[in-house]
């Protein structure tokens, strides 16, 4: 495996020499992980009854000011490990009964992750879920062909201004929508096992933000133009003003019941009914795991 000396793994293409320095994402020359454990708070077709075998990677290429995992994403909390150890972690999660392997924010460690999946090889029999903020290059999606079964991707914003203000990524929609089309073409429509657990396909997550109903509706308009039946929509309500959200007046509160209901009604009106709509009351701190190097 070659460590990038002019890194272009993510859309920031910051050009860091990863053999000597950390990039804008916090990623250096060794893969870094904050936690590896069974996780029960994903969509039901992912978490099932036994949990999703989740690996949280340290650092992130996006800079969302409201990140619920900011200690790991912006704070870069975690432990550097070898790719051999990463492969062992994958297999350990499978041995614990995980329905799938769930790689959270792994894009800036793409070569390390692919190498670890290669090392695990046929011993890893559960589906691989690639859990991403959506800010991925099309090249990254192509490189993961044959490794990833389920794309669990965000589509956070339609507006470049909102993406710039909240995630320092004005090109977010252009990049994420192109990546999403590539994921859909690669994975095909959702396929389930006999227990209703997703085996392959795409889940598109959209976190409804306060005071951003117009942008949520624009995201849903875009999604309604994609082939019907090709993906599941998870319209999420659990926004909580974490991290630096208080610096943005519009983000300083949770979304209202009215805002969320309006988003759901709009999605249903567009025919986007395959997927998950959360009750606003389900917003809980449990969505934020304790980052403690468990399983690392
Ligand atoms: S993955 Fe990290 S180091 Fe590589 S281009 Fe993106 S921000 Fe820079």
């Amino acid at each position: 495996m070659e460590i990038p000396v002019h890194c272009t793994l993510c859309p920031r293409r910051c050009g860091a020499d990863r053999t000597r320095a950390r990039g804008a994402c916090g990623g250096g020359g060794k893969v870094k992980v904050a936690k590896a454990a069974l996780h029960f708070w994903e969509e039901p077709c992912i978490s099932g009854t036994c949990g999703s075998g989740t690996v949280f990677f340290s650092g992130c290429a996006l800079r969302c000011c409201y990140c619920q995992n900011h200690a790991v994403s912006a704070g870069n909390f975690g432990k550097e490990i070898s790719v051999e150890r990463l492969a062992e972690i994958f297999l350990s999660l499978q041995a614990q009964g995980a329905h799938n392997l769930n790689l959270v924010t792994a894009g800036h460690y793409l070569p390390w992750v692919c190498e670890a999946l290669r090392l695990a090889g046929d011993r890893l029999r559960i589906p691989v879920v690639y859990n991403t903020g959506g800010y991925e290059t099309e090249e990254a999606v192509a490189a993961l062909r044959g490794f990833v079964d389920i794309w669990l991707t965000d589509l956070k914003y339609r507006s470049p201004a909102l993406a710039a203000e909240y995630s320092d990524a004005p090109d977010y929609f252009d990049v994420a929508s192109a990546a999403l089309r590539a994921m859909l073409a690669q994975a095909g429509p959702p396929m389930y096992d006999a227990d209703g657990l997703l085996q392959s396909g795409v889940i598109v997550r959209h976190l409804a933000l306060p005071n951003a109903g117009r942008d949520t509706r624009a995201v849903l308009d875009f999604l309604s133009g994609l082939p019907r039946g090709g993906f599941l929509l998870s319209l999420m309500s659990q926004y909580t003003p974490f991290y630096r959200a208080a610096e943005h007046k519009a983000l300083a509160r949770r979304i209202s019941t009215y805002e969320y209901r309006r988003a759901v009604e709009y999605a249903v009106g567009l025919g986007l009914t395959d997927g998950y709509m959360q009750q606003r009351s389900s917003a809980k701190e449990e969505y934020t795991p304790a980052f403690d190097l468990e399983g690392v």
Side-chain angles (χ1 to χ4, degrees):
M1 187 203 81
E2 284 192 21
I3 299 174
V5 292
H6 182 84
C7 189
T8 56
L9 286 176
C10 85
R12 297 220 183 263
R13 302 186 199 274
C14 76
D17 179 353
R18 299 277 295 265
T19 64
R20 302 150 64 93
R22 296 197 175 282
C25 58
K30 285 191 94 174
V31 64
K32 197 170 180 185
V33 171
K35 187 181 181 92
L38 297 177
H39 190 45
F40 293 87
W41 299 100
E42 308 288 19
E43 286 73 7
C45 66
I46 299 290
S47 288
T49 52
C50 299
S52 179
T54 307
V55 182
F56 292 91
F57 292 87
S58 309
C60 182
L62 274 177
R63 300 274 171 72
C64 304
C65 63
Y66 49 85
C67 180
Q68 63 180 8
N69 296 339
H70 58 92
V72 170
S73 57
N76 209 18
F77 172 81
K79 180 179 166 190
E80 290 187 339
I81 58 172
S82 66
V83 286
E84 290 79 12
R85 175 64 192 141
L86 186 59
E88 281 175 17
I89 289 171
F90 294 168
L91 295 170
S92 162
L93 289 165
Q94 176 177 258
Q96 290 171 50
H99 292 301
N100 43 59
L101 176 64
N102 185 347
L103 307 174
V104 181
T105 316
H108 51 299
Y109 286 117
L110 186 71
W112 293 260
V113 167
C114 289
E115 183 64 16
L117 288 168
R118 231 175 256 124
L119 288 173
D122 291 345
R123 291 176 293 163
L124 189 69
R125 294 177 302 278
I126 52 179
V128 175
V129 181
Y130 192 82
N131 190 332
T132 168
Y135 197 51
E136 302 282 351
T137 66
E138 290 174 83
E139 294 93 320
V141 177
L144 286 161
R145 181 183 288 277
F147 291 116
V148 167
D149 303 288
I150 298 165
W151 298 92
L152 182 49
T153 184
D154 291 339
L155 191 59
K156 294 174 184 289
Y157 318 103
R158 178 67 182 84
S159 152
L162 217 55
E165 184 181 353
Y166 293 164
S167 298
D168 190 25
D171 61 348
Y172 177 86
F173 176 77
D174 290 344
V175 167
S177 58
L180 173 57
R181 288 186 194 279
M183 293 170 191
L184 291 166
Q186 193 182 106
M191 305 281 284
Y192 301 87
D193 71 4
D195 297 322
L197 292 163
L198 193 63
Q199 301 299 294
S200 64
V202 179
I203 300 178
V204 182
R205 286 175 163 170
H206 177 73
L207 177 66
L209 294 173
N211 300 299
R214 185 182 303 173
D215 201 59
T216 287
R217 292 191 291 279
V219 166
L220 295 171
D221 282 338
F222 166 76
L223 292 174
S224 73
L226 297 174
R228 283 296 144 90
F231 63 95
L232 303 171
L233 169 65
S234 182
L235 189 53
M236 304 192 298
S237 61
Q238 76 262 32
Y239 170 78
T240 307
F242 285 110
Y243 189 36
R244 297 171 61 187
E247 294 171 14
H248 303 262
K249 198 172 165 210
L251 289 180
R253 62 165 175 82
R254 302 235 333 251
I255 66 163
S256 67
T257 303
Y258 171 76
E259 282 173 311
Y260 186 63
R261 194 176 43 204
R262 195 157 173 224
V264 170
E265 285 171 2
Y266 195 79
V268 171
L270 291 170
L272 294 167
T273 51
D274 290 345
Y276 303 94
M277 313 284 180
Q278 290 167 358
Q279 295 303 308
R280 187 173 165 276
S281 58
S282 71
K284 291 188 185 118
E285 292 282 328
E286 286 96 314
Y287 284 99
T288 308
F291 292 108
D292 50 9
L293 300 181
E294 180 186 358
V296 180

